[in-house]
Amino acid sequence: MGIADRIILTLYTFLMAVVSVLVVLCSLGVFSRETMIFMVDHIPGSWLYAVCGVIMLLVSLRLLITGLGLTGMSSLKLSENEKGKVLVGKTALENYIAVLAQEIYGVHNVKVIVKLDDDGIEVRINASIEPGINIPESSEEIRNNVRESIKKVTGIEVKDIELFFKQIKAKEE
């Protein structure tokens, strides 16, 4: 789930909490029945309520789509025949690529994001590197290791590998 979806989910959860508190307060008699009827009576014809309703509907649809994993491919089909399909999951690729990147001396705290499509995969590797390590050489070694290993293991071409070293810092034991 991306950062935008997390923000939307947080706002939506907050809104649902407010609505839930109002329902509980109504059931406990804090708000009178007449007050609630008055509030509901003023909903028709008010453009503000209509806009809020449309926004809530769109947020709900977005969360539903994200929750179902329809915002992107979550697995890649490696093969299919009469005996069945062979799929590899996005998370499996991310974990495997993280292990491959950490095999390179001086690279640690690796996090990987993979984008899958039908003609290959794109990889973003976020990592830390130890001081004194040659970044261009290590980057090339990571790229070669990932490309060769993914091609060998899955048969899929890695289209692009983006490396981002967030820290130049010794590995903490």
Side-chain angles (χ1 to χ4, degrees), residues 62-113:
R62 173 66 185 188
L63 291 174
L64 179 64
I65 289 169
T66 302
L68 293 175
L70 301 176
T71 55
M73 295 175 67
S74 62
S75 64
L76 198 57
K77 189 184 332 179
L78 299 181
S79 66
E80 182 174 11
N81 58 30
E82 66 280 350
K83 295 180 183 177
K85 296 181 203 175
V86 177
L87 303 168
V88 64
K90 180 180 170 189
T91 304
L93 286 171
E94 290 171 343
N95 293 340
Y96 183 56
I97 292 170
V99 168
L100 292 171
Q102 290 185 118
E103 288 178 352
I104 306 305
Y105 177 76
V107 177
H108 55 93
N109 293 335
V110 176
K111 306 246 186 310
V112 178
I113 300 168

Side-chain angles (χ1 to χ4, degrees), residues 67-169:
L68 293 175
L70 301 176
T71 55
M73 295 175 67
S74 62
S75 64
L76 198 57
K77 189 184 332 179
L78 299 181
S79 66
E80 182 174 11
N81 58 30
E82 66 280 350
K83 295 180 183 177
K85 296 181 203 175
V86 177
L87 303 168
V88 64
K90 180 180 170 189
T91 304
L93 286 171
E94 290 171 343
N95 293 340
Y96 183 56
I97 292 170
V99 168
L100 292 171
Q102 290 185 118
E103 288 178 352
I104 306 305
Y105 177 76
V107 177
H108 55 93
N109 293 335
V110 176
K111 306 246 186 310
V112 178
I113 300 168
V114 171
K115 288 185 183 177
L116 304 174
D117 58 35
D118 292 329
D119 59 332
I121 63 174
E122 294 178 14
V123 178
R124 177 179 169 105
I125 300 172
N126 298 317
S128 296
I129 194 163
E130 293 184 20
I133 301 296
N134 185 308
I135 293 175
E137 286 178 9
S138 294
S139 298
E140 195 58 35
E141 198 174 343
I142 291 170
R143 282 190 180 97
N144 290 337
N145 195 16
V146 169
R147 281 187 204 284
E148 291 170 10
S149 295
I150 293 297
K151 179 67 175 170
K152 183 174 134 186
V153 170
T154 66
I156 304 293
E157 291 289 331
V158 178
K159 294 189 313 188
D160 185 42
I161 299 175
E162 180 181 312
L163 290 157
F164 177 68
F165 293 105
K166 58 188 176 198
Q167 291 183 332
I168 299 175
K169 173 179 160 181

Side-chain angles (χ1 to χ4, degrees), residues 18-106:
V18 169
V19 169
S20 298
V21 167
L22 288 175
V23 168
V24 168
L25 291 175
C26 259
S27 67
L28 294 174
V30 175
F31 293 125
S32 68
R33 182 179 171 161
E34 290 75 28
T35 304
M36 290 307 294
I37 291 172
F38 178 78
M39 287 173 45
V40 172
D41 253 359
H42 285 81
I43 290 176
S46 175
W47 65 271
L48 183 60
Y49 291 114
V51 169
C52 289
V54 168
I55 290 171
M56 285 183 62
L57 175 65
L58 293 174
V59 167
S60 298
L61 290 174
R62 173 66 185 188
L63 291 174
L64 179 64
I65 289 169
T66 302
L68 293 175
L70 301 176
T71 55
M73 295 175 67
S74 62
S75 64
L76 198 57
K77 189 184 332 179
L78 299 181
S79 66
E80 182 174 11
N81 58 30
E82 66 280 350
K83 295 180 183 177
K85 296 181 203 175
V86 177
L87 303 168
V88 64
K90 180 180 170 189
T91 304
L93 286 171
E94 290 171 343
N95 293 340
Y96 183 56
I97 292 170
V99 168
L100 292 171
Q102 290 185 118
E103 288 178 352
I104 306 305
Y105 177 76

